[in-house]
Amino acid sequence: MYNLLKGKRGIIFGALDPKSIAWKIAEKAHEEGAKFVLTNAPIALRMGTMNELAERTGSEIIPADATSMEDLEGLVTKSVEILGGKLDFVLHSIGMSVNVRKGRHYTDQKYDFTTKGWDISAVSFHKVMSVLYKQDAMNEWGSIVALTYMAAQRVFPDYNDMADNKAYLESIARSFGYFFGTDKKVRVNTISQSPTPTTAGQGVKGFDGFFTYADKMSPLGNATADECADYTISLFSDLTKKVTLQNLFHDGGFSNVGVSQSVMDYFDKEE
Ligand SMILES: NC(=O)c1ccc[n+]([C@@H]2O[C@H](COP(=O)([O-])OP(=O)(O)OC[C@H]3O[C@@H](n4cnc5c(N)ncnc54)[C@H](O)[C@@H]3O)[C@@H](O)[C@H]2O)c1
């Protein structure tokens, strides 16, 4: 360990179970000396196993629905109180598509579902930042990170309306990041992570094929949740103070590969 987050305070959204990317980030943030509050939707707290993570990392859990301004206002106020000062980092690791859950095809969405998924997966990031900004809850040189996926730039048919949500999320990072940077010297970035076997990831139709294909296409192979946690810690640390408004690919090189030898070999065999 490098004590990269020694003395830093934060809020971590989205640790549901030990497979969650946010869970790994919480473990590493703790190892690197951070103090933080864990939060998730009230219903997820009933289903998940967050108490175990809270005990292990000496953290408090504050339930908050990330679509509710009232919940978010309470969360930020209480976190600053509990942690004894303003925040240095915030992780947004939240995603959910009702259309995906209910098996609706992209071309046949139920728009109530679309709106709900968009609010949870994208607008919630704006709401979180708006509350942090208005309460002046971030320290200078603080860092805010949200997790995203490359379906924001390229077509992955089964990713459904989450592709649109991720495009919106990445745009919010740039737009809000401008004001957070200019007014408060806080950086805002998104990390575009490889397919990862978590509850949200495995909810996408055909996940296994998708996962293996990405792995075969990436010169370094898929990035794991643990590796994503390492990368996120670097963005929370003082080693990346001038990185902001970026969508950062953490995908073993997948995003810049046209085709790999291993995928070519597979199709050669088919001839
Ligand atoms: N798993 C992948 O393949 C993958 C790849 C790239 C990006 N991501 C992104 O990583 C992030 C974390 O997902 P994960 O893969 O760790 O899955 P996960 O299912 O463990 O995490 C998703 C979290 O969102 C929370 N959530 C849902 N609705 C909420 C609400 N209303 N308020 C607060 N929290 C709510 C869930 O309770 C859960 O903790 C998501 O943004 C996801 O899109 C995942």
Side-chain angles (χ1 to χ4, degrees), residues 14 16 20-21 40 44 65-66 93-94 148 166 193-196 198 200-201:
L16 177 68
S20 299
I21 301 170
N40 211 322
D65 179 338
S93 184
I94 299 171
T148 185
K166 289 305 193 191
Q193 163 69 5
S194 294
T196 314
T198 62

Side-chain angles (χ1 to χ4, degrees), residues 197-209:
T198 62
T199 303
Q202 285 166 316
V204 177
K205 201 169 129 219
F207 178 82
D208 291 345

Side-chain angles (χ1 to χ4, degrees), residues 139-212:
N139 275 322
E140 279 197 358
W141 303 111
S143 173
I144 301 172
V145 169
L147 295 180
T148 185
Y149 182 57
M150 212 185 56
Q153 287 79 33
R154 297 196 194 166
V155 176
F156 294 83
D158 289 331
Y159 207 67
N160 212 311
D161 58 337
M162 276 305 287
D164 306 328
N165 294 337
K166 289 305 193 191
Y168 199 96
L169 177 89
E170 290 175 19
S171 182
I172 289 173
R174 286 185 293 271
S175 303
F176 220 128
Y178 170 80
F179 294 104
F180 244 130
T182 310
D183 302 343
K184 301 192 191 273
K185 291 197 171 57
V186 169
R187 59 206 194 273
V188 182
N189 295 290
T190 49
I191 295 178
S192 187
Q193 163 69 5
S194 294
T196 314
T198 62
T199 303
Q202 285 166 316
V204 177
K205 201 169 129 219
F207 178 82
D208 291 345
F210 197 55
F211 178 88
T212 309

Side-chain angles (χ1 to χ4, degrees), residues 38-79:
L38 294 166
T39 182
N40 211 322
I43 182 151
L45 290 175
R46 287 198 291 277
M47 285 160 31
T49 52
M50 264 177 84
N51 281 333
E52 180 203 324
L53 179 67
E55 268 171 41
R56 209 145 32 84
T57 57
S59 313
E60 283 203 33
I61 299 175
I62 301 179
D65 179 338
T67 64
S68 156
M69 287 300 277
E70 200 188 332
D71 283 10
L72 292 172
E73 280 156 8
L75 167 71
V76 171
T77 308
K78 276 191 233 146
S79 299

